[in-house]
Amino acid sequence: MKRKYIFGFIFAAMFLTSTTAEARQWTLRECIDYALQNNISLQKLQLIRRSAQEDIWQSQSALLPSLSASTGHSVSYQPWPETGRATVQNGYVQQSIDKVFYNGSYGVSSNWTVWDGGRLRGSVRMNELAALQAELDSAVTANSIQEQIAQLYVQILYSAEAVNVSRKSLETSLKNEERGQAFVEVGKMSRADLAQLTSQRAQDEYQIVDAESNLRNYKRQLKQLLQIVDDEEFDIAIPETTTEMALQPIPSLSAVYAAALGQRPEIRHAEVGIKSSEVGIKLAKAQRLPSVGVSGSVVTNSTSMSSNAWGSQLKNNFNVGAGVNVSIPIFDNRASKTAANKAQIQKMNYELDLRDKQTALYSTLENYWLQAVTNQNRFQAAKIATESAQTSYEMLSGKFDEGLINIVELMQGRDALLQAQQNELQSKYLTILNIDMLKFYETGQLGQK
């Protein structure tokens, strides 16, 4: 029975090792780059950015003169024309009198707003700021995705190492069970004590299954975040050393906060909102100013009731016109004043939003910094505790072989060692995660060597 368990776990370990060897080893940087290219939420935000760019081009085109061409054609029927007399059609004397006749008109016109108090140029600026806010919205979402990827990536690293710890614990339980069986055979241990060792080995087997299940689940979550839907084996690249990563210097909180204020998209989004509100105030006030526009047109027409040739009619009826339009607002039912007040209120709201985001940013960074410092200290202490627990268990194991201690003391030593190893793992990877988050907020980059 014992050999069956041993061979079963050896086979499972070989299978998992061979599967992992064939799988692509994704680095953190590769995961992030892939997500930024394929995440659906980001792709939707890219469409919003494209729409905002179209608004910019449209408002810029409004600064240019408009030009349009028109032509109209009609057929008329007069059942009782008065013959022998000339008639006037479209302002011209028509000699031919027909019941059915044709009229055609042709024209080109243009309009241009010369000055409107800066409203058109202000609209261009507003659309440019709106496009920048759309870009920053995309950056906020991209940062959120990167943070989620980093958290899952570190969680996978932790889970993978936890699996290895559980396997080593199982190896120890198998050895203890084997020694217990030998002691029973020579009468140095009761079968009740052997049953406890067997139970411990079974619990370790269960822990391995549970730990591997957690590892697969975290990998599934990362695949989902990357929008990967194939059934190929997914695995991540394991760093050569994670201990050095956990013991690296922790960035200064003040330095990280100062850098984050200058480059975090959520902060810049609120700052751009303030600028947009200031432009909105100017646009609202510009509604009270006069506007000046010029227009011009070229028109001509023809009719079948004229005896002149079609080309001659177009030439004779050719007309060029131009004009200047001035609009002076006198009373607009408080529309401009209301618009200016609302723009001012919006500016105040963005200023409050900026202060709120600055406070939230500092709180987030302070939490990352405190967690990094605390867990780094815990990790350093946990390393010593693990070494002591390992030494203690080895001594207990030797005494157990000599029959100097009972099985309860042996299992207590083993439990103390396992707890120390788990504490070391947890503090190590929490330190790595929080240091990575601080560097991300400081530099805007994750997964860089």
Side-chain angles (χ1 to χ4, degrees):
M1 188 68 178
K2 175 181 61 179
R3 293 181 178 178
K4 185 183 296 184
Y5 279 114
I6 295 174
F7 289 136
F9 275 98
I10 291 176
F11 175 77
M14 292 176 60
F15 174 77
L16 290 173
T17 303
S18 62
T19 304
T20 304
E22 296 175 358
R24 173 181 174 179
Q25 303 289 311
W26 290 72
T27 65
L28 178 56
R29 186 70 253 170
E30 289 173 340
C31 289
I32 290 174
D33 291 340
Y34 188 89
L36 295 181
Q37 290 293 327
N38 296 276
N39 186 268
I40 294 178
S41 297
L42 286 177
Q43 291 179 10
K44 289 182 177 180
L45 288 172
Q46 291 294 333
L47 296 179
I48 295 177
R49 290 176 58 186
R50 289 175 57 183
S51 178
Q53 183 61 52
E54 292 292 335
D55 292 336
I56 294 176
W57 291 334
Q58 182 181 13
S59 59
Q60 289 174 339
S61 298
L63 297 171
L64 304 175
S66 64
L67 181 64
S68 61
S70 63
T71 181
H73 305 271
S74 64
V75 177
S76 301
Y77 172 66
Q78 294 181 345
W80 301 288
E82 190 175 345
T83 59
R85 295 176 57 187
T87 62
V88 178
Q89 182 72 24
N90 294 330
Y92 298 95
V93 177
Q94 312 296 335
Q95 300 296 331
S96 175
I97 306 298
D98 300 319
K99 288 186 176 183
V100 180
F101 59 93
Y102 159 82
N103 291 317
S105 63
Y106 312 88
V108 176
S109 62
S110 177
N111 293 281
W112 180 36
T113 301
V114 179
W115 187 76
D116 64 349
R119 277 172 284 180
L120 288 176
R121 294 189 179 277
S123 296
V124 174
R125 181 57 179 162
M126 284 285 285
N127 288 328
E128 289 175 345
L129 292 174
L132 180 56
Q133 285 186 309
E135 181 179 352
L136 292 172
D137 284 335
S138 178
V140 169
T141 301
N143 281 350
S144 176
I145 291 173
Q146 291 184 68
E147 289 185 37
Q148 294 178 60
I149 290 174
Q151 291 170 357
L152 287 172
Y153 198 91
V154 173
Q155 189 65 56
I156 292 173
L157 291 177
Y158 167 75
S159 299
E161 195 160 346
V163 169
N164 292 332
V165 170
S166 296
R167 288 176 179 169
K168 291 180 180 178
S169 178
L170 175 62
E171 292 176 2
T172 302
S173 296
L174 288 170
K175 291 179 181 178
N176 287 340
E177 184 183 17
E178 184 177 354
R179 286 189 297 178
Q181 182 66 41
F183 287 165
V184 169
E185 292 176 358
V186 297
K188 294 178 61 176
M189 178 183 289
S190 67
R191 293 194 175 275
D193 289 340
L194 177 61
Q196 293 186 50
L197 294 176
T198 303
S199 175
Q200 184 63 64
R201 183 260 304 158
Q203 291 179 18
D204 287 343
E205 292 172 351
Y206 178 86
Q207 289 297 328
I208 289 180
V209 173
D210 191 53
E212 291 178 342
S213 176
N214 289 334
L215 177 59
R216 287 192 294 269
N217 184 52
Y218 286 124
K219 290 181 180 180
R220 177 197 61 80
Q221 293 181 45
L222 184 55
K223 285 183 64 177
Q224 180 182 6
L225 199 58
L226 299 182
Q227 309 287 165
I228 298 177
V229 295
D230 57 50
D231 57 354
E232 294 183 6
E233 183 69 20
F234 179 86
D235 204 356
I236 66 171
I238 305 297
E240 293 181 359
T241 173
T242 53
T243 300
E244 293 180 1
M245 296 170 63
L247 295 177
Q248 63 182 304
I250 299 174
S252 166
L253 175 58
S254 58
V256 174
Y257 180 64
L261 284 177
Q263 60 92 20
R264 287 296 293 184
E266 61 268 26
I267 301 297
R268 293 185 58 203
H269 188 281
E271 293 173 343
V272 172
I274 295 174
K275 294 180 181 179
S276 177
S277 300
E278 292 173 348
V279 176
I281 294 173
K282 293 180 181 179
L283 285 176
K285 292 180 177 179
Q287 295 180 19
R288 306 171 187 172
L289 301 177
S291 61
V292 180
V294 296
S295 61
S297 63
V298 177
V299 297
T300 186
N301 56 65
S302 64
T303 178
S304 61
M305 295 183 66
S306 174
S307 59
N308 294 334
W310 182 77
S312 298
Q313 291 185 57
L314 296 182
K315 180 179 179 181
N316 294 333
N317 298 337
F318 189 81
N319 184 25
V320 178
V324 177
N325 303 313
V326 180
S327 176
I328 304 175
I330 298 176
F331 180 69
D332 63 353
N333 302 100
R334 206 178 182 276
S336 59
K337 184 175 180 61
T338 299
N341 289 343
K342 286 189 173 182
Q344 183 65 44
I345 293 172
Q346 186 180 38
K347 179 183 177 182
M348 296 169 62
N349 186 65
Y350 272 119
E351 289 173 343
L352 293 174
D353 188 40
L354 175 60
R355 289 173 54 190
D356 183 58
K357 288 182 177 179
Q358 288 173 340
T359 303
L361 175 63
Y362 186 84
S363 178
T364 299
L365 293 177
E366 187 176 29
N367 179 62
Y368 283 142
W369 186 83
L370 289 173
Q371 290 292 327
V373 171
T374 300
N375 283 286
Q376 189 175 76
N377 292 333
R378 286 176 178 172
F379 174 61
Q380 291 172 341
K383 279 174 58 63
I384 299 174
T386 300
E387 294 173 358
S388 299
Q390 181 68 45
T391 302
S392 176
Y393 179 73
E394 290 174 356
M395 293 175 63
L396 289 173
S397 181
K399 291 181 179 180
F400 179 74
D401 290 341
E402 297 173 0
L404 300 178
I405 62 172
N406 58 33
I407 189 173
V408 174
E409 293 174 294
L410 178 66
M411 295 181 66
Q412 287 177 345
R414 179 192 170 282
D415 291 342
L417 174 59
L418 183 59
Q419 184 63 51
Q421 291 172 333
Q422 291 175 345
N423 291 339
E424 180 181 349
L425 283 182
Q426 185 177 35
S427 58
K428 177 169 69 172
Y429 285 103
L430 282 175
T431 303
I432 292 173
L433 175 61
N434 286 282
I435 290 178
D436 283 350
M437 289 297 99
L438 287 172
K439 289 184 176 181
F440 177 54
Y441 275 75
E442 183 179 20
T443 66
Q445 296 292 329
L446 269 173
Q448 300 294 326
K449 294 184 178 180

